[in-house]
Amino acid sequence: MKYRLLSMLAVSVMVLANAVLADPIVIKFSHVVAENTPKGQMANKFKALVEERLAGKVKVEVFPNSQLFGDNKVLEAMLLGDVQMAAPSLSKFKRYTKKLQLFDLPFLFNDLAAVEKFQQSPEGQQLLHATEKKGIIGLGYLHNGMKQLSASKPLRVPEDARKLKFRIMSSDVLAAQFKALDAMPLKKPFSEVFTLLQTKAIDGQENTWSNIYSKKFFEVQPYITESNHGVLDYMVVTSAEFWNGLPDDVRAEVKKALDEAIALGNKVAYEKSVADRQAIIDSGRSEVITLKPEERAKWVAVMKPVWKQFEGQIGKELIDAAYAANQ
Ligand code: SIN
């Protein structure tokens, strides 16, 4: 009896010691932008919150600036277990779902407030599940901002973009949008954009004020047209295998930390869309072109027919629901 009690005690001590000494769960979070951006700040806040609340249990390693993977590779890497979390632009999910192409439709949303309204609606929340069949779970949306067009020449009307080469994210909708302008779209990773612009291998690109500023595109693009023609937002994702394998209490705490980090990232996104725009103007390196209403109407007229091309893949009801968020 005495021996049985002693051996039970020994086993309990070992289990306890194992629990205490167990290696922490590591979450590698890979992204492509600078740390002083909405996504960069969100990821750093997430790390701080998780490591404060789950000290010793979970460690978060953040890899910014495409240090670990570019956005075109990160989802593959996640499914292989090489990273556990990422937040690619919604334009980069084409291999996993066609539904998210919705967010690339030109002139669908008037501003970030409409984007937010749609993302929080039942239809928007449902889209977080769009990649689940492929083993990828959407944990939440994160804003960056509305996109602007930068180029080596002033773009005031759609004809100004004819025959110019534009870098785009890996999205067929964005390719169609530039083809509608009779321009040449080139799908290239974010990490290559500055060099492509600097060496004049391309003439222009589309991006948010925050990305144009933090990656210094404005230093090699003399003109930026304030077109607000599309949105660049993110989905924070993880692999189903990793997420479902977490202990319930850890998963709940990680999700709570993520929601708080996203709230901070969204606040940064609103602030940066004003501050980085102003910083670019103040730099004097790039002229910011404001479109007259009749000029803007011409861009809308040329680009909006792209919706029809993708209606079958995205779904008309979804497009209508997103458009209704402008009211
Ligand atoms: C990002 O904001 O994550 C990258 C956007 C891009 O590829 O242009």
Side-chain angles (χ1 to χ4, degrees):
M1 185 65 183
K2 194 170 151 199
Y3 286 116
R4 247 182 95 201
L5 271 176
L6 275 175
S7 79
M8 276 166 67
L9 193 67
V11 170
S12 309
V13 168
M14 273 165 64
V15 168
L16 200 67
N18 262 342
V20 171
L21 297 176
D23 287 340
I25 296 163
V26 176
I27 300 180
K28 289 189 181 165
F29 193 133
S30 170
H31 68 83
V32 298
V33 290
E35 288 186 275
N36 61 342
T37 56
K39 185 159 54 179
Q41 295 208 28
M42 181 278 285
N44 290 350
K45 179 75 179 175
F46 173 66
K47 173 182 168 68
L49 290 175
V50 168
E51 292 188 349
E52 177 196 311
R53 294 171 188 174
L54 293 164
K57 284 191 185 169
V58 182
K59 200 165 165 276
V60 180
E61 295 172 357
V62 180
F63 299 90
N65 292 311
S66 311
Q67 271 167 20
L68 196 57
F69 291 105
D71 265 349
N72 298 333
K73 289 270 175 281
V74 77
L75 294 174
E76 262 170 62
M78 182 178 286
L79 290 172
L80 292 172
D82 293 336
V83 293
Q84 287 65 43
M85 285 175 75
S89 146
L90 290 161
S91 313
K92 296 178 179 171
F93 285 89
K94 164 185 114 189
R95 287 181 55 195
Y96 305 91
T97 174
K98 301 281 184 220
K99 294 279 172 206
L100 294 176
Q101 296 184 115
L102 171 80
F103 290 96
D104 285 337
L105 295 178
F107 297 106
L108 179 65
F109 298 108
N110 292 343
D111 50 28
L112 271 190
V115 178
E116 171 71 16
K117 190 171 159 195
F118 172 70
Q119 288 175 349
Q120 298 313 322
S121 72
E123 293 88 350
Q125 289 295 299
Q126 189 56 35
L127 279 178
L128 290 173
H129 301 284
T131 53
E132 272 177 15
K133 279 196 193 123
K134 301 281 165 105
I136 295 171
I137 294 182
L139 297 173
Y141 293 105
L142 171 71
H143 297 312
N144 182 327
M146 302 304 284
K147 289 181 293 184
Q148 321 301 335
L149 284 166
S150 77
S152 51
K153 58 177 271 205
L155 304 179
R156 291 201 169 81
V157 288
E159 296 76 51
D160 295 333
R162 284 193 67 214
K163 305 293 174 216
L164 298 189
K165 289 189 195 128
F166 286 89
R167 176 271 173 175
I168 56 164
M169 294 182 274
S170 53
S171 152
D172 292 344
V173 176
L174 299 180
Q177 170 193 279
F178 280 98
K179 283 184 189 153
L181 295 170
D182 200 12
M184 286 177 273
L186 294 163
K187 291 178 184 167
K188 294 284 179 188
F190 187 59
S191 55
E192 291 178 22
V193 181
F194 181 85
T195 308
L196 289 167
L197 292 171
Q198 191 184 37
T199 57
K200 304 203 185 325
I202 55 173
D203 305 295
Q205 60 90 46
E206 52 162 29
N207 232 303
T208 60
W209 292 115
S210 156
N211 281 349
I212 294 172
Y213 184 64
S214 60
K215 287 293 175 188
K216 302 193 188 314
F217 300 161
F218 70 101
E219 293 186 1
V220 285
Q221 289 276 264
Y223 301 97
I224 304 174
T225 300
E226 188 164 24
S227 51
N228 290 314
H229 63 280
V231 65
L232 196 168
D233 263 20
Y234 308 112
M235 191 185 278
V236 185
V237 287
T238 185
S239 81
E241 193 179 341
F242 170 73
W243 193 244
N244 296 331
L246 287 176
D248 289 350
D249 57 333
V250 170
R251 192 189 311 110
E253 202 60 65
V254 169
K255 178 69 168 68
K256 191 162 165 266
L258 180 67
D259 290 344
E260 289 176 41
I262 286 178
L264 171 90
N266 284 342
K267 187 168 163 285
V268 172
Y270 282 103
E271 288 164 2
K272 292 240 158 234
S273 61
V274 177
D276 289 354
R277 173 185 178 278
Q278 193 56 47
I280 290 170
I281 293 171
D282 293 346
S283 78
R285 300 287 293 264
S286 195
E287 184 188 330
V288 173
I289 298 170
T290 307
L291 294 175
K292 297 187 188 112
E294 60 275 21
E295 289 169 340
R296 192 163 197 277
K298 288 184 182 166
W299 291 93
V300 176
V302 175
M303 286 181 167
K304 216 169 152 180
V306 165
W307 294 19
K308 265 269 169 268
Q309 284 180 52
F310 291 87
E311 202 178 87
Q313 293 177 26
I314 298 169
K316 178 151 180 1
E317 280 175 17
L318 202 54
I319 298 176
D320 290 345
Y323 191 59
N326 291 308
Q327 274 113 52

